Amino acid sequence: MSFLRLCASASRHVVSSPAAVDSLFIGCFRTTSGAVKDREPLRKAKTPQGRFDVPEETSKDVLQKFPDDVNPATKEKGGPRGPEPTRYGDWERKGRCVDF
Amino acid sequence: MATVRAASRLLSKRVLSRAKAVPAAAVQGSRNFHFSIYGKKKSAKVSDDISTQYPVVDHEFDAVVVGAGGAGLRAAFGLSEAGFNTACVTKLFPTRSHTVAAQGGINAALGNMEEDDWRWHFYDTVKGSDWLGDQDAIHYMTEQAPAAVVELENFGMPFSRTEDGKIYQRAFGGQSLKYGKGGQAHRCCCVADRTGHSLLHTLYGRSLRYDTSYFVEYFALDLLMDDGVCKGVIALCMEDGSIHRIRAQNTIIATGGYGRTYFSCTSAHTSTGDGTAMVTRAGLPCQDLEFVQFHPTGIYGAGCLITEGCRGEGGILINSEGERFMERYAPNAKDLASRDVVSRSMTIEIREGRGVGPEKDHVHLQLHHLPPQQLASRLPGISETAMIFAGVDVTKEPIPVLPTVHYNMGGIPTNYKGQVIDHTNGKDKVVPGLYACGEAASASVHGANRLGANSLLDLVVFGRACALTITDLHKPGEKLTPLKPSAGEESVANLDKLRFANGSLRTSEIRLNMQKTMQNHAAVFRTGSVLKEGCDKMDDVYQSMENIKTFDRGIVWNTDLVESLELQNLLLNAVQTINAAEQRKESRGAHAREDFKDRVDEYDYSKPLEGQQKKTFDQHWRKHTLSYVDPKTGKVALKYRPVIDSSLNEQDCAHVPPAIRSY
């Protein structure tokens, strides 16, 4: 039990140190280049450990899947997502016509 | 003692587990892997009969299928299932064939949503074809449709379902009940948003169960014809540049359409009409090539179609002057006029110089006057589509559109069994050893106009039909008739000439000339003078092939060479299309002419038939066009063949007498 607590405390220390290292690096960059860099932080600034801490806004697909894949209006299971593709007389998906 | 018993228990367990680990397939007997790394069959022999420069390998099979799309795969494994030693020659990997882009559904009169009968589907298809479809082939297709869809479903294709678990069918493609009098029919079965993709993958997966030999990325050059009998194909292996002569008793062509003859088409870059060109070079005719299906609003450059719903929701078509030009052509319906009226109006605007863009060759579809929320809720995904394919923000800029080719109704003439026919002395004569199915063929189920969701049905039904016909007429392991050792010489000579071509025009330039000419002259707007001018220009483009320049002199994966071969094939299709369109002096289905606006049948079906004089075969146009080309000169010769008006069984399903087509 105590061993676990020790591990936990150690990992906490490990987690906090990269942030410090980070700022150290950024500080170094600013001083060596001479100019003040107004750029966004480096792409790899978030280490793999840190990346999943903030859940990313997952881009929503325009055509949502129906709950249980069953279209509530027509009771079709496994059918096309989104509004009825044949509603304009041709087969439409995402504004593209694929058959007519 | 206990240890011995424990050991024996352990041993028996291990033996049992090993026994369980033996796969069921191995119990049938040892089987080689489906693919092999160095060459295909052990019976392949290298010969230098036709060329000392190119290594030529001879193969012998019972049947060879050219093309591995929906129709090709169905035919190939249908034959393998029946025990034939089948080869499938394809220039693309099977799952990359253009069938994968067919996202609409597949029609079948299953009767899951309401009472349905395949005879009503038969009537709808005959009417849709504007009475140019062969009614025996349409009878065959619509009667087999429910069985074909159930078969696909048994292969594992995941159709969408109703609550009861039956296949869900929706209303699409001009289908009606009770011979057009019973309202809308629900016949279209689909798999989510991707029926064609699913169909192709299902068929490919199924075909791997059988012993078909796939020759993937082999470009079929020509048919091996001997005295009017087809004895196989000759193909170029793109991977290593070797030539392969694949001799077979039966050859099936399923190479797809030739959309790439036009500047704007929805087809892949690989839709180059290779099969139809091979048949033309063999001296056989192609049927009804002038019937090409257009859609008015295809994105300029990309070729994707924009749905008519855009115009339904309030989108308008604009010319270079910012004018809503549809008001002049269709004062009442305006932008909601029928597709052919819209296509023709757009083409006339472009011809008269009011097109937009640097080359003034397209028009604009404006949607930014509509409220963005309405656009997003009624047409979800359209902003994404417009950004990806046209690079425009649909809420700020208009989308560039022009009439786009979508499908080729014409192709290699076949009977309802899939056998290729030639028309001599007023009779249809079967070409022995040659079959065709899919978009490349014209068993003429689509006639002058294809109905939506019928083409996927066409693929599977006629692919299976070819396989069944061959199974009926031949046996596996039949001895092949001898072939001249020099068969295929001209194909290799042509290949060599193209490989070392050193003229002045690049392949891409000649191809663009052809595409622009076809788009300007043989597209939606067809009149005598425009078509005649187009025929002369196409003749010039054809002659300019003499001046072609290729750059890659290698033989391994020479895409310059393959594109030039494809260009030769495209040109053969293009000259036939435009010449056939110029000769057909009527408007029928997808072939609409400004100077001959009416259909010319043997009787005038808009009036009662009594008292009318029946026109002779030469005077009316309800007939199939058969076009022949002399590949050296590019001259097109046209013949005509009557439409088959009787169904396969008049008692079971009476034929539909011609009438005026109105929806």
Side-chain angles (χ1 to χ4, degrees):
Chain A
M1 257 277 271
S2 58
F3 179 66
L4 280 169
R5 234 183 274 149
L6 200 68
C7 280
S9 59
S11 60
R12 243 182 286 130
H13 282 296
V14 170
V15 162
S16 55
S17 56
V21 170
D22 239 20
S23 52
L24 197 70
F25 268 33
I26 292 173
C28 280
F29 253 37
R30 286 227 175 97
T31 49
T32 46
S33 64
V36 174
K37 284 224 174 96
D38 229 317
R39 297 168 24 177
E40 54 203 39
L42 299 169
R43 288 254 184 94
K44 285 193 179 161
K46 282 205 189 121
T47 61
Q49 256 178 324
R51 215 197 307 168
F52 292 107
D53 285 347
V54 180
E56 247 181 61
E57 182 67 43
T58 47
S59 60
K60 285 201 172 125
D61 192 13
V62 175
L63 296 180
Q64 296 291 322
K65 220 171 169 180
F66 294 116
D68 266 343
D69 213 11
V70 177
N71 184 328
T74 57
K75 307 282 183 291
E76 181 186 4
K77 191 170 160 70
R81 295 179 289 167
E84 170 64 32
T86 55
R87 64 194 188 285
Y88 293 114
D90 57 6
W91 192 286
E92 175 267 343
R93 184 171 188 263
K94 289 193 174 175
R96 280 175 72 177
C97 163
V98 282
D99 200 3
F100 55 95
Chain B
M1 192 53 183
T3 48
V4 169
R5 235 183 267 146
S8 72
R9 230 183 297 137
L10 211 67
L11 209 68
S12 60
K13 254 201 216 144
R14 232 190 271 154
V15 166
L16 266 173
S17 64
R18 214 182 285 155
K20 274 201 208 114
V22 169
V27 177
Q28 294 170 7
S30 68
R31 246 173 58 163
N32 286 330
F33 266 108
H34 175 73
F35 50 85
S36 58
I37 302 174
Y38 303 109
K40 306 290 164 181
K41 292 274 182 189
K42 296 189 180 45
S43 60
K45 299 184 287 289
V46 184
S47 75
D48 57 355
D49 287 332
I50 52 176
S51 166
T52 46
Q53 307 287 339
Y54 295 88
V56 177
V57 183
D58 284 325
H59 305 262
E60 285 183 4
F61 285 93
D62 289 327
V64 60
V65 179
V66 184
L73 285 179
R74 183 66 189 84
F77 78 72
L79 286 168
S80 299
E81 201 176 12
F84 287 80
N85 189 8
T86 317
C88 186
V89 175
T90 164
K91 71 179 181 186
L92 299 169
F93 191 77
T95 53
R96 303 275 188 249
S97 308
H98 196 47
T99 310
V100 81
Q103 287 182 8
I106 179 169
N107 273 338
L110 293 166
N112 287 338
M113 306 303 281
E114 72 246 319
E115 188 68 38
D116 204 355
D117 189 349
W118 63 263
R119 296 170 188 83
W120 303 337
H121 186 191
F122 166 80
Y123 169 82
D124 292 326
T125 308
V126 170
K127 180 177 171 190
S129 76
D130 221 349
W131 279 277
L132 200 69
D134 289 327
Q135 296 202 23
D136 58 349
I138 300 177
H139 173 162
Y140 183 76
M141 184 179 84
T142 50
E143 189 176 13
Q144 297 286 322
V149 169
V150 171
E151 187 186 49
L152 281 174
E153 196 269 333
N154 289 341
F155 288 157
M157 196 162 152
F159 285 106
S160 62
R161 303 281 172 169
T162 61
E163 278 180 303
D164 310 329
K166 294 194 197 163
I167 296 178
Y168 185 88
Q169 294 180 288
R170 46 174 37 82
F172 182 59
Q175 303 293 320
S176 64
L177 299 166
K178 297 201 180 64
Y179 305 104
K181 303 188 192 72
Q184 180 71 45
H186 296 76
R187 270 184 208 128
C188 180
C189 317
C190 74
V191 176
D193 315 310
R194 42 173 214 287
T195 312
H197 173 276
S198 174
L199 172 77
L200 195 61
H201 282 258
T202 307
L203 289 177
Y204 181 60
R206 185 77 189 184
S207 73
L208 293 177
R209 274 185 179 231
Y210 306 105
D211 253 334
T212 316
S213 308
Y214 279 100
F215 289 83
V216 177
E217 287 167 353
Y218 279 65
F219 186 84
L221 297 167
D222 266 311
L223 298 173
L224 299 171
M225 300 292 286
D226 190 9
D227 237 355
V229 179
C230 181
K231 296 199 174 171
V233 290
I234 180 167
L236 165 74
C237 174
M238 299 203 280
E239 199 180 327
D240 59 16
S242 53
I243 311 282
H244 294 254
R245 283 194 300 192
I246 302 171
R247 291 178 58 196
Q249 183 88 302
N250 311 290
T251 308
I252 303 182
I253 299 186
T255 48
Y258 57 94
R260 283 281 150 186
T261 46
Y262 285 82
F263 180 69
S264 181
C265 64
T266 59
S267 345
H269 289 279
T270 48
S271 290
T272 50
D274 300 323
T276 33
M278 275 165 45
V279 155
T280 305
R281 279 194 291 265
L284 295 168
C286 286
Q287 181 172 273
D288 293 340
L289 289 186
E290 66 268 34
F291 294 101
V292 179
Q293 197 174 38
F294 285 86
H295 188 274
T297 48
I299 298 182
Y300 181 75
C304 304
L305 303 174
I306 293 284
T307 177
E308 293 173 58
C310 288
R311 289 177 280 129
E313 290 297 330
I316 56 180
L317 291 164
I318 303 282
N319 62 12
S320 59
E321 290 164 16
E323 180 206 354
R324 184 181 180 180
F325 60 83
M326 284 308 301
E327 286 177 342
R328 275 187 284 124
Y329 296 95
N332 294 326
K334 294 194 243 243
D335 293 277
L336 296 175
S338 66
R339 278 192 296 269
D340 43 344
V341 173
V342 176
S343 304
R344 278 211 292 287
S345 317
M346 286 164 76
T347 313
I348 295 175
E349 288 294 304
I350 294 170
R351 280 194 74 81
E352 290 181 359
R354 290 189 288 277
V356 300
E359 291 183 40
K360 298 199 181 309
D361 53 357
H362 57 279
V363 294
H364 277 146
L365 174 64
Q366 184 181 294
L367 292 168
H368 55 78
H369 60 283
L370 301 167
Q373 308 93 307
Q374 186 194 347
L375 209 56
S377 65
R378 299 276 180 83
L379 292 163
I382 191 163
S383 43
E384 199 180 80
T385 302
M387 182 50 80
I388 295 174
F389 295 106
V392 302
D393 180 355
V394 85
T395 51
K396 298 196 186 71
E397 302 159 287
I399 308 174
V401 294
L402 80 165
T404 302
V405 171
H406 185 64
Y407 187 83
N408 303 108
M409 269 73 75
I412 306 170
T414 68
N415 57 19
Y416 75 94
K417 295 190 228 176
Q419 297 169 306
V420 172
I421 51 181
D422 194 356
H423 195 71
T424 45
N425 297 333
K427 274 201 173 32
D428 289 337
K429 191 175 86 69
V430 169
V431 175
L434 191 58
Y435 302 79
C437 53
E439 194 178 345
S442 167
S444 221
V445 280
H446 306 300
N449 191 35
R450 174 193 72 103
L451 290 179
N454 264 357
S455 55
L456 285 176
L457 182 62
D458 176 16
L459 301 183
V460 283
V461 170
F462 287 101
R464 180 171 164 269
C466 283
L468 289 177
T469 311
I470 294 175
T471 314
D472 276 338
L473 299 176
H474 299 276
K475 284 202 181 23
E478 270 180 358
K479 199 156 156 43
L480 293 175
T481 53
L483 182 66
K484 272 205 291 277
S486 64
E489 233 173 5
E490 301 90 29
S491 316
V492 181
N494 181 39
L495 186 98
D496 194 60
K497 188 176 79 142
L498 275 182
R499 186 173 152 214
F500 294 106
N502 210 359
S504 57
L505 290 170
R506 308 172 142 198
T507 310
S508 50
E509 286 166 3
I510 304 180
R511 190 172 53 219
L512 192 63
N513 288 342
M514 170 192 69
Q515 289 176 335
K516 290 273 182 194
T517 309
M518 292 298 281
Q519 186 77 28
N520 290 334
H521 298 271
V524 201
F525 181 74
R526 296 179 176 182
T527 48
S529 51
V530 168
L531 287 168
K532 194 86 197 62
E533 196 189 327
C535 288
D536 296 331
K537 279 198 185 156
M538 268 316 296
D539 194 38
D540 292 334
V541 176
Y542 193 91
Q543 303 303 333
S544 74
M545 271 297 277
E546 297 291 313
N547 223 352
I548 192 170
K549 182 177 172 59
T550 49
F551 293 86
D552 191 348
R553 302 283 179 240
I555 196 64
V556 172
W557 203 264
N558 189 342
T559 50
D560 201 358
L561 174 63
V562 173
E563 276 188 27
S564 311
L565 289 166
E566 286 177 344
L567 179 59
Q568 281 186 330
N569 295 340
L570 282 172
L571 279 168
L572 282 172
N573 284 296
V575 291
Q576 290 183 66
T577 304
I578 198 167
N579 278 283
E582 199 262 317
Q583 282 299 314
R584 184 173 277 265
K585 296 182 168 45
E586 63 153 0
S587 288
R588 182 183 295 266
H591 173 71
R593 280 182 70 150
E594 296 298 305
D595 45 352
F596 296 96
K597 284 195 193 263
D598 301 310
R599 227 173 67 178
V600 178
D601 300 317
E602 62 274 28
Y603 293 110
D604 184 353
Y605 289 100
S606 59
K607 304 195 192 75
L609 293 185
E610 300 91 49
Q612 284 199 41
Q613 186 88 6
K614 184 171 181 178
K615 294 204 182 90
T616 60
F617 189 68
D618 297 323
Q619 293 172 325
H620 73 88
W621 282 101
R622 201 166 75 85
K623 51 197 184 188
H624 293 295
T625 313
L626 292 175
S627 45
Y628 300 80
V629 185
D630 176 6
K632 292 186 194 47
T633 56
K635 288 277 167 291
V636 178
L638 295 171
K639 247 200 309 202
Y640 295 93
R641 177 185 155 241
V643 174
I644 297 176
D645 274 325
S646 54
S647 69
L648 289 173
N649 186 339
E650 287 292 326
Q651 268 80 44
D652 200 14
C653 168
H655 77 276
V656 182
I660 292 296
R661 181 171 82 130
S662 60
Y663 283 104

